[in-house]
Amino acid sequence: DAKTTQPPSMDCAEGRAANLPCNHSTISGNEYVYWYRQIHSQGPQYIIHGLKNNETNEMASLIITEDRKSSTLILPHATLRDTAVYYCIVRAGYFITQGGSEKLVFGKGTKLTVNP
Amino acid sequence: DTGVSQNPRHKITKRGQNVTFRCDPISEHNRLYWYRQTLGQGPEFLTYFQNEAQLEKSRLLSDRFSAERPKGSFSTLEIQRTEQGDSAMYLCASSLKLAGGPNEQYFGPGTRLTVT
């Protein structure tokens, strides 16, 4: 799986948008960009994923550059409960018969602190 | 609650003792993963099951570690002759793998092991 680069920490004011960048310059054509977050002392939580197009769900938006070498996770209206470590992960998918584990390879992520 | 559950949530044991953790995945999820997380680091993959078959093991999984998923439902992770270096959070995740494209993994709350 390709490696990702994220800033170690970021701050955001409550109610404002939080934009978390991720570089994945060696991403392959069949690799997806996944975002997870981990609130203190809890298990990681899936947020969103994408391949080429921008994606949006009830939690966040994911913007992937046209060359797919970087992406940005956007939390449109950050709350104090969004304070967490955010992980950007790239991973390939496999057909079930291919047996690939699709394990998640976590880096150190970005520690986002939302301030009141 | 239909999420991934793990028991116990906390375990304190003396060096040299054996410990066993249990993970109950989301019902009908065919894949189950174990990860380990030490302080300040992202989770690291240990092993995964597709149904009852253990298909991949990390080099981190020494011969003191064994995992089972006997009926393709719950899983257990046993550590024999625990060492202080085994102190960590042990996370379980499950997913439903159907076809191509990586699948989201849903994590449990983890079991925190402290070896004294």
Side-chain angles (χ1 to χ4, degrees):
Chain A
D1 291 333
K3 291 185 177 181
T4 63
T5 303
Q6 299 178 254
S9 64
M10 293 183 66
D11 285 273
C12 177
E14 188 178 19
R16 304 296 295 269
N19 298 282
L20 291 90
C22 179
N23 285 317
H24 31 80
S25 58
T26 60
I27 192 170
S28 300
N30 67 338
E31 289 180 315
Y32 292 71
V33 180
Y34 270 73
W35 284 83
Y36 280 76
R37 73 179 182 183
Q38 189 171 24
I39 295 169
H40 183 62
S41 295
Q42 297 183 21
Q45 177 188 24
Y46 165 77
I47 301 173
I48 198 168
H49 75 278
L51 182 62
K52 296 180 184 178
N53 301 319
N54 299 337
E55 302 288 344
T56 295
N57 64 19
E58 64 278 4
M59 289 183 68
S61 295
L62 174 60
I63 308 297
I64 303 174
T65 58
E66 192 168 345
D67 63 8
R68 303 208 323 123
K69 292 184 177 182
S70 65
S71 61
T72 301
L73 178 74
I74 301 172
L75 308 178
H77 306 286
T79 71
L80 298 179
R81 289 174 294 183
D82 292 322
T83 292
V85 178
Y86 287 77
Y87 297 99
C88 170
I89 299 167
V90 295
R91 56 200 281 254
Y94 299 90
F95 287 97
I96 197 165
T97 53
Q98 293 176 299
S101 71
E102 299 177 357
K103 60 182 178 283
L104 294 165
V105 180
F106 291 85
K108 293 193 173 182
T110 295
K111 169 67 174 169
L112 175 68
T113 302
V114 181
N115 299 304
Chain B
D1 189 308
T2 57
V4 178
S5 62
Q6 293 187 246
N7 288 288
R9 294 291 309 277
H10 303 275
K11 179 71 177 179
I12 300 174
T13 191
K14 293 183 177 180
R15 188 178 57 184
Q17 298 294 305
N18 300 343
V19 294
T20 299
F21 311 139
R22 176 178 170 126
C23 171
D24 287 90
I26 293 172
S27 179
E28 297 182 355
H29 275 192
N30 54 3
R31 287 195 168 183
L32 187 148
Y33 300 77
W34 285 98
Y35 293 83
R36 181 173 70 184
Q37 185 173 27
T38 54
L39 201 62
Q41 304 297 316
E44 296 174 292
F45 169 79
L46 291 178
T47 188
Y48 98 101
F49 293 83
Q50 182 162 295
N51 300 312
E52 66 276 8
Q54 187 175 19
L55 297 185
E56 185 175 336
K57 293 192 289 186
S58 162
R59 291 173 299 170
L60 293 174
L61 211 67
S62 76
D63 55 8
R64 296 185 297 106
F65 288 69
S66 62
E68 293 183 342
R69 194 183 183 198
K71 297 183 179 179
S73 56
F74 73 92
S75 175
T76 58
L77 177 67
E78 181 183 16
I79 308 174
Q80 295 183 328
R81 305 180 303 281
T82 52
E83 301 173 356
Q84 287 188 321
D86 297 330
S87 295
M89 175 78 84
Y90 289 84
L91 293 159
C92 175
S94 71
S95 67
L96 179 61
K97 179 64 175 177
L98 295 175
N103 45 324
E104 298 89 76
Q105 294 179 22
Y106 297 90
F107 283 80
T111 295
R112 180 166 295 284
L113 173 67
T114 302
V115 182
T116 62

